[in-house]
Amino acid sequence: SQELEQSPQSLIVQEGKNLTINCTSSKTLYGLYWYKQKYGEGLIFLMMLQKGGEEKSHEKITAKLDEKKQQSSLHITASQPSHAGIYLCGADGRPSYGKLTFGQGTILTVHP
Amino acid sequence: GAGVSQSPSNKVTEKGKDVELRCDPISGHTALYWYRQSLGQGLEFLIYFQGNSAPDKSGLPSDRFSAERTGGSVSTLTIQRTQQEDSAVYLCASSLFGGAATDTQYFGPGTRLTVL
């Protein structure tokens, strides 16, 4: 089965700083999802990447997919306290199924 | 439009009791998923419904767990004879079609289950 490894496990930054979270898969990625979770709010969909080299941005968050390395990175520019939460990557190692495996999550704290 | 809704938001029960958790998917979504999130195990897949097909139950941890989806919409996850290790947040998600790695799943707020 597919496994996703996220790094770092936790991150504490000062407001305004840039940061990067990585997600590495043990198998081929057919669709890589990034979600954000705050306590009691379930998972909020951020972005989905499906092609090697693809890059997507939403406000100050950019995600990239490196198909060869089976890895995705999530970059936040000029972090704000509102960015704090748990970031989860999820993926399905098969192209036509849709059952997601998730990484263990990265806990982000942003100090004002 | 309305997102995925789940009820109750919190449930406290005694060991050995049965519980039912409800999920209302986004209107028009044909695929529905249940996941469980616990401290030790992270976020784990439980069961997946796609249209009228037989559900994929491969993630259910024991035969105490079951789920049904009535009329292709609302789903109920039932846990019989609850154990303390069942304590977790149970998350429901839905997607438009299912059956594709690129069909985005949208999650509900979850039900926090505590078994005393």
Side-chain angles (χ1 to χ4, degrees):
Chain A
S1 62
Q2 182 171 40
E3 291 185 0
L4 297 176
E5 184 77 25
Q6 284 185 239
S7 63
Q9 292 186 351
S10 64
L11 195 54
I12 301 173
V13 299
Q14 204 67 33
E15 182 177 0
K17 295 294 185 183
N18 301 335
L19 62 104
T20 299
I21 299 169
N22 292 305
C23 175
T24 303
S25 173
S26 61
K27 294 188 176 182
T28 302
L29 289 167
Y30 291 99
L32 189 288
Y33 294 82
W34 284 100
Y35 290 90
K36 179 184 174 185
Q37 185 177 32
K38 287 197 169 185
Y39 184 82
E41 293 183 12
L43 274 66
I44 300 167
F45 170 70
L46 295 175
M47 279 170 279
M48 187 270 287
L49 305 166
Q50 61 180 102
K51 298 177 183 177
E54 187 172 19
E55 180 175 323
K56 287 186 177 178
S57 294
H58 175 68
E59 297 179 344
K60 294 185 177 179
I61 302 176
T62 300
K64 300 179 184 179
L65 180 63
D66 186 329
E67 205 168 47
K68 290 182 180 178
K69 292 184 180 178
Q70 296 176 175
Q71 184 177 73
S72 178
S73 60
L74 186 82
H75 184 77
I76 299 178
T77 304
S79 58
Q80 300 170 357
S82 60
H83 288 128
I86 303 171
Y87 289 82
L88 290 149
C89 63
D92 189 348
R94 290 164 290 180
S96 58
Y97 198 70
K99 184 173 74 177
L100 297 179
T101 300
F102 285 88
Q104 76 276 27
T106 295
I107 302 171
L108 173 63
T109 303
V110 181
H111 287 310
Chain B
V4 178
S5 60
Q6 293 186 243
S7 60
S9 55
N10 281 283
K11 177 73 178 179
V12 179
T13 190
E14 294 180 347
K15 178 181 172 181
K17 299 285 188 182
D18 297 351
V19 295
E20 286 189 351
L21 311 179
R22 177 187 168 104
C23 172
D24 280 275
I26 294 171
S27 178
H29 280 194
T30 61
L32 186 147
Y33 314 77
W34 282 98
Y35 293 86
R36 177 171 74 171
Q37 188 174 34
S38 55
L39 280 175
Q41 301 298 322
L43 192 57
E44 309 170 279
F45 165 82
L46 295 177
I47 187 169
Y48 161 42
F49 296 88
Q50 183 188 9
N52 296 320
S53 303
D56 176 354
K57 305 178 182 180
S58 60
L60 294 179
S62 77
D63 57 9
R64 296 186 295 105
F65 288 72
S66 63
E68 62 177 21
R69 189 178 185 192
T70 53
S73 181
V74 172
S75 177
T76 302
L77 178 69
T78 301
I79 308 173
Q80 295 178 312
R81 305 181 301 282
T82 52
Q83 305 293 313
Q84 288 183 332
E85 60 263 28
D86 298 335
S87 296
V89 176
Y90 290 81
L91 292 160
C92 175
S94 70
S95 68
L96 195 54
F97 300 115
T102 55
D103 186 35
T104 300
Q105 296 180 27
Y106 296 91
F107 283 78
T111 293
R112 181 173 296 276
L113 175 66
T114 303
V115 182
L116 301 176

